[in-house]
Amino acid sequence: MKNRGLKRLLLALCLLASPALAVQPDEILADPAQEARARTLSRELRCLVCQNENIDDSDAQLARDLRLLLRERIVAGDTDAQAMAFITARYGEFVLLNPPATGANLVLWLAGPAALLAGGALAFAVMRRRSRSSEAESLSAEEKARLETLLKD
């Protein structure tokens, strides 16, 4: 009986341990449609302090400022693209969690696949070289003759 109660307690604690959003109640917009847009867009913006966290999940003051700025732009009537362009113009492309693959960013987008291809080509070349230099070529004449007699038996 104790085991069952313990399992229930652990399950309840796991359900309560879901990640909490850093959006404060005073930041939430009155219009649910605008708030949904703000939440969607804020998941695409990087916290400049935390760097690998979106502004919706960050407790940093700068992330709060970005959330408020984004909501101001949405309330002002900006489209999603206009609001993102405004923030990108002010903070640079670094603020985007998924920057566009253009210009200098193209090098970053292509560096990973290029390194993977180069590593694969290097591994292929090494394996090919190893297969060409077989063990039989490195044996002396006596060893080759003994190997042939062993293989015949």
Side-chain angles (χ1 to χ4, degrees), residues 77-139:
D78 284 1
T79 64
D80 292 353
Q82 289 172 331
M84 293 297 276
F86 180 83
I87 292 174
T88 304
R90 181 173 274 190
Y91 293 97
E93 284 187 344
F94 182 74
V95 78
L96 300 175
L97 277 172
N98 194 13
T102 57
N105 289 338
L106 193 57
V107 173
L108 296 174
W109 279 98
L110 296 176
L116 183 65
L117 288 174
L122 180 65
F124 178 74
V126 167
M127 296 303 289
R128 190 169 181 201
R129 185 178 302 151
R130 281 188 183 177
S131 68
R132 283 190 176 173
S133 63
S134 66
E135 293 178 22
E137 294 174 6
S138 62
L139 297 176

Side-chain angles (χ1 to χ4, degrees), residues 21-28 39 58-59 64 67 71:
L21 296 176
V23 177
Q24 303 299 314
D26 63 331
E27 298 175 30
I28 297 175
R39 292 285 177 106
S58 176
D59 285 328
R64 176 180 165 81
R67 288 191 303 265
R71 282 167 172 76

